[in-house]
Amino acid sequence: MAKMIEIAVSIPCSAWTKALPAAGRLGRQAAFAAIEASQGEVASRVAAAEVSLVLADDALVQALNRDYRGHDRPTNVLSFALADGKDGSCRRPDGVPVLLGDVIVAFETAAAEAGDEGGNLADHLCRLVVHGMLHLLGYGHRTDAVSERMQRMEVQALSSLGIADPYCQPDRQ
């Protein structure tokens, strides 16, 4: 893991703390779990890094999704990576933290998904933050192999938080 990683949590949507008073703490723990599951790949690139985690509402996420991705609808989580090299490298003067990017989670969509899946909001928030953080760290879904690697890291991060594998559902056979 990087020598110093700061996770700044902002909660402009009060529904998060009303429904889940520990939302900020859980989000921060999930972000660190994702970093740990990436097997220290951040550490090979940076000595210090910062991430912004925003627990927002659907309206904010829909506006961001529309303005930056061309999709005029809310989604559960958005990640905006700020690494500046084509290979995801981050160059800064010594001692200056790298801004890895932002992870923004939409309350209404996340809460509805948690209910639809029969889970709880706390676990689903952690899942979305882990997923978003892994995107910031350069993982994605471009190929089956890359997607499977990201999925393994998600499962590992969630397991470290005591959350069951969301991809292994008994009703899916």
Side-chain angles (χ1 to χ4, degrees), residues 129-140:
V129 171
V130 165
H131 189 86
M133 279 297 301
L134 289 173
H135 279 305
L136 286 190
L137 297 172
Y139 301 98

Side-chain angles (χ1 to χ4, degrees), residues 61-134:
V61 170
Q62 181 170 349
L64 293 169
N65 205 19
R66 179 192 62 236
D67 295 350
Y68 293 96
R69 298 184 65 235
H71 303 290
D72 193 10
R73 63 183 180 271
T75 188
N76 53 16
V77 63
L78 291 172
S79 296
F80 295 99
L82 299 175
D84 50 7
K86 283 185 183 178
D87 61 353
S89 63
C90 308
R91 294 174 201 83
R92 298 282 189 274
D94 287 344
V96 175
V98 170
L99 303 176
L100 290 179
D102 306 305
V103 174
I104 304 104
V105 184
F107 176 77
E108 295 89 345
T109 299
E113 288 174 348
D116 290 347
E117 295 172 5
N120 66 58
L121 184 57
D123 287 359
H124 197 59
L125 169 63
C126 290
R127 179 179 178 197
L128 294 174
V129 171
V130 165
H131 189 86
M133 279 297 301
L134 289 173

Side-chain angles (χ1 to χ4, degrees), residues 3-5 14 23-24 48 52 57 75-76 82 87 96 101 111 114 116 137 140 143 150 156-157 169-170:
K3 293 176 185 173
M4 185 178 87
I5 296 180
S14 62
S52 171
D57 60 13
T75 188
N76 53 16
L82 299 175
D87 61 353
V96 175
D116 290 347
L137 297 172
T143 67
M150 181 175 169
Q156 179 183 346
Q169 310 243 340

Side-chain angles (χ1 to χ4, degrees), residues 26-45:
L26 290 170
R28 185 176 280 113
Q29 288 174 335
F32 281 117
I35 292 164
E36 193 67 34
S38 75
Q39 302 164 352
E41 292 186 27
V42 175
S44 67
R45 296 183 292 184

